[in-house]
Amino acid sequence: MSTTKAIATLGAASILIAIFFILTGAFGVREHWAGFLFLFQWSMMEGMKLNRLPRSALGALTGVAIASLPTWLTPLLGAGAALAVMLFAVLVAVFLLIRGMAGIVINPATMAFLTVATIPQIVNSTKPAEVFLGIAAGVIIFGGLATIQAIIQTALAGRKAKAAKTCATPS
């Protein structure tokens, strides 16, 4: 990529990040990092393909849900049993990932979010519902922007094809 294109891309990315912060701030989303992690995972692992958006979103939510089991279950089962349930869920998720089963919910996004959501600082300073909200914000905002981009690209390609056909037709 040329320097000019790199600077233009950086400028566009900065604008999109600002839009993300403005929109999430307006709706009270506190866990911005979850939306950015979603964007990173979806863009780097799935190429920001719109048909892979549901898979990435469900995988991210599943990863956080598995990581949140101790938070949810400790009051009911005690800390040791809740941790055991989570570890069993992790083993099941890894097995399903290895076997290529349940790919809509157990996929690289699951593992990325499971890994990050079990970091002690995250566990101790966030609420699962707020992390889910951050992911949802990332899915809606970045998925929406990608959808708009795809619509524009399709329209431009249609115009270009129509113009080429018009120029090629003898009068």
Side-chain angles (χ1 to χ4, degrees), residues 12 14 22 44 54 74 77 82 91-92 102 105 107 113 117 119 130 141-142 147 155 166-167:
S14 298
I22 291 167
M44 300 305 285
T74 295
L77 307 174
L91 289 174
V92 170
V105 293
N107 53 54
F113 276 86
I119 294 171
E130 292 176 356
I141 293 169
F142 296 124
T147 301
T166 303
C167 290

Side-chain angles (χ1 to χ4, degrees), residues 20-21 23-32 35 130-131 133-135 137:
F20 181 77
F21 274 116
L23 290 174
T24 56
F27 288 101
V29 176
R30 294 183 46 184
E31 303 301 336
H32 302 282
E130 292 176 356
V131 178
L133 188 59
I135 294 168

Side-chain angles (χ1 to χ4, degrees), residues 60-131:
L61 295 170
T62 301
V64 173
I66 293 170
S68 300
L69 287 173
T71 300
W72 296 329
L73 297 178
T74 295
L76 301 171
L77 307 174
L83 183 60
V85 170
M86 185 199 79
L87 293 174
F88 180 74
V90 170
L91 289 174
V92 170
V94 171
F95 175 80
L96 293 172
L97 184 68
I98 291 168
R99 294 276 300 145
M101 301 167 68
I104 189 75
V105 293
I106 306 295
N107 53 54
T110 309
M111 297 304 151
F113 276 86
L114 174 59
T115 300
V116 172
T118 55
I119 294 171
Q121 290 84 351
I122 301 241
V123 172
N124 294 329
S125 66
T126 63
K127 295 177 182 168
E130 292 176 356
V131 178

